[in-house]
Coordinates of all heavy atoms in Angstrom, one line a residue:
Y261 N 11.6 -18.7 -49.0 CA 11.6 -18.6 -47.4 C 10.3 -19.0 -46.8 O 9.3 -18.8 -47.3 CB 11.7 -16.9 -47.3 CG 11.6 -16.4 -45.8 CD1 12.7 -16.7 -45.0 CD2 10.5 -16.1 -45.3 CE1 12.6 -16.4 -43.7 CE2 10.4 -15.6 -43.9 CZ 11.6 -15.6 -43.1 OH 11.4 -15.3 -41.9
K262 N 10.5 -19.8 -45.7 CA 9.4 -20.2 -44.9 C 9.2 -19.4 -43.7 O 8.1 -18.6 -43.4 CB 9.6 -21.8 -44.6 CG 9.1 -22.5 -45.7 CD 9.2 -24.1 -45.3 CE 8.1 -24.4 -44.3 NZ 8.3 -25.8 -43.9
N263 N 10.2 -19.4 -42.8 CA 10.2 -18.6 -41.6 C 11.6 -18.5 -41.0 O 12.6 -19.1 -41.5 CB 9.2 -19.2 -40.5 CG 9.4 -20.6 -40.3 OD1 10.6 -20.9 -39.9 ND2 8.4 -21.5 -40.3
S264 N 11.8 -17.7 -39.9 CA 13.0 -17.7 -39.3 C 13.0 -18.3 -37.9 O 13.6 -18.0 -37.1 CB 13.4 -16.1 -39.0 OG 13.6 -15.6 -40.2
G265 N 12.1 -19.3 -37.8 CA 11.9 -20.0 -36.5 C 10.4 -20.1 -36.0 O 9.6 -19.4 -36.5
I266 N 10.2 -20.9 -35.1 CA 8.8 -20.9 -34.5 C 8.8 -20.6 -33.1 O 9.8 -20.8 -32.2 CB 8.4 -22.4 -34.5 CG1 8.4 -22.9 -35.9 CG2 7.0 -22.6 -34.0 CD1 7.4 -22.4 -36.9
I267 N 8.0 -19.5 -32.8 CA 7.7 -19.2 -31.3 C 6.6 -20.1 -30.9 O 5.5 -20.0 -31.2 CB 7.5 -17.8 -31.1 CG1 8.7 -16.8 -31.9 CG2 7.3 -17.4 -29.6 CD1 9.9 -16.8 -30.9
R268 N 6.8 -20.7 -29.7 CA 5.7 -21.6 -29.0 C 5.3 -21.0 -27.6 O 6.1 -20.8 -26.7 CB 6.3 -23.0 -28.9 CG 6.5 -23.6 -30.2 CD 7.6 -24.7 -30.2 NE 7.2 -25.7 -29.4 CZ 7.6 -27.1 -29.6 NH1 8.6 -27.3 -30.3 NH2 7.3 -28.0 -28.8
I269 N 4.1 -20.7 -27.5 CA 3.6 -20.3 -26.2 C 3.1 -21.6 -25.5 O 2.2 -22.3 -25.8 CB 2.3 -19.4 -26.5 CG1 2.5 -18.3 -27.5 CG2 1.8 -18.8 -25.1 CD1 3.5 -17.4 -27.3
K270 N 3.9 -21.7 -24.4 CA 3.7 -23.0 -23.5 C 2.5 -22.8 -22.7 O 1.6 -23.7 -22.4 CB 4.8 -23.3 -22.8 CG 6.0 -23.8 -23.5 CD 7.3 -23.8 -22.8 CE 7.4 -24.7 -21.7 NZ 8.7 -24.6 -21.0
S271 N 2.3 -21.6 -22.1 CA 1.1 -21.3 -21.2 C 0.9 -19.8 -21.2 O 1.8 -18.9 -21.2 CB 1.3 -21.9 -19.8 OG 1.6 -20.9 -18.8
C272 N -0.3 -19.5 -21.1 CA -0.8 -18.0 -20.9 C -1.9 -18.1 -19.9 O -3.0 -18.4 -20.2 CB -1.3 -17.4 -22.3 SG -1.9 -15.9 -22.1
K273 N -1.6 -17.6 -18.7 CA -2.7 -17.6 -17.7 C -2.9 -16.1 -17.2 O -2.1 -15.3 -17.2 CB -2.3 -18.3 -16.4 CG -2.2 -19.9 -16.8 CD -2.1 -20.6 -15.4 CE -2.1 -22.0 -15.5 NZ -0.8 -22.6 -15.6
I274 N -4.2 -15.8 -16.9 CA -4.6 -14.5 -16.3 C -4.9 -14.7 -14.9 O -5.8 -15.5 -14.5 CB -5.7 -13.9 -17.1 CG1 -5.2 -13.5 -18.6 CG2 -6.1 -12.6 -16.4 CD1 -6.1 -13.1 -19.6
E275 N -4.1 -14.0 -13.9 CA -4.4 -14.2 -12.4 C -4.7 -12.7 -12.0 O -4.2 -11.8 -12.5 CB -3.3 -14.8 -11.8 CG -3.1 -16.3 -12.2 CD -1.9 -16.9 -11.6 OE1 -1.3 -16.4 -10.7 OE2 -1.4 -17.9 -12.1
T276 N -5.4 -12.7 -10.8 CA -5.7 -11.5 -10.1 C -4.6 -11.2 -9.1 O -4.3 -12.1 -8.3 CB -7.0 -11.4 -9.4 OG1 -8.1 -11.7 -10.4 CG2 -7.4 -10.3 -8.7
E277 N -4.1 -10.0 -9.1 CA -3.1 -9.6 -8.0 C -3.8 -8.6 -7.1 O -4.3 -7.6 -7.6 CB -1.8 -8.8 -8.6 CG -0.9 -9.8 -9.4 CD 0.4 -9.5 -9.3 OE1 0.8 -8.4 -9.0 OE2 1.3 -10.4 -9.4
Y278 N -3.9 -9.0 -5.9 CA -4.7 -8.2 -4.8 C -3.8 -7.0 -4.5 O -2.7 -7.0 -4.4 CB -5.1 -9.1 -3.6 CG -6.0 -10.2 -4.1 CD1 -5.5 -11.5 -3.9 CD2 -7.2 -10.0 -4.4 CE1 -6.4 -12.6 -4.3 CE2 -8.2 -11.0 -4.8 CZ -7.7 -12.4 -4.7 OH -8.4 -13.5 -5.1
S279 N -4.7 -6.0 -4.3 CA -4.1 -4.7 -3.8 C -4.3 -4.5 -2.4 O -4.9 -5.3 -1.6 CB -4.7 -3.5 -4.5 OG -6.2 -3.4 -4.0
F280 N -3.5 -3.5 -1.8 CA -3.7 -3.2 -0.4 C -5.2 -3.0 0.0 O -5.6 -3.5 1.0 CB -2.9 -1.9 -0.1 CG -2.9 -1.3 1.4 CD1 -2.5 -2.0 2.3 CD2 -3.7 -0.1 1.5 CE1 -2.5 -1.6 3.7 CE2 -3.9 0.4 2.9 CZ -3.2 -0.4 3.9
L281 N -5.9 -2.2 -0.7 CA -7.3 -1.9 -0.4 C -8.2 -3.2 -0.5 O -9.0 -3.4 0.2 CB -8.0 -0.9 -1.3 CG -7.6 0.5 -1.0 CD1 -8.2 1.5 -1.7 CD2 -8.0 0.9 0.6
D282 N -7.8 -4.2 -1.3 CA -8.4 -5.5 -1.5 C -8.5 -6.1 0.0 O -9.4 -6.7 0.4 CB -8.0 -6.4 -2.4 CG -8.2 -6.0 -3.8 OD1 -9.3 -5.4 -3.9 OD2 -7.6 -6.3 -4.9
Y283 N -7.1 -6.1 0.5 CA -7.0 -6.7 1.9 C -7.7 -6.0 3.0 O -8.4 -6.7 3.9 CB -5.5 -6.8 2.2 CG -4.8 -7.9 1.4 CD1 -4.0 -7.7 0.4 CD2 -5.0 -9.3 1.7 CE1 -3.3 -8.7 -0.5 CE2 -4.4 -10.3 1.0 CZ -3.7 -10.0 -0.1 OH -3.1 -11.0 -0.9

Side-chain angles (χ1 to χ4, degrees):
Y261 175 78
K262 276 181 71 180
N263 60 52
S264 295
I266 304 288
I267 302 283
R268 296 158 60 161
I269 315 297
K270 289 160 67 179
S271 104
C272 173
K273 289 198 177 87
I274 293 171
E275 295 175 13
T276 297
E277 292 218 330
Y278 296 111
S279 69
F280 175 69
L281 278 181
D282 285 334
Y283 286 105

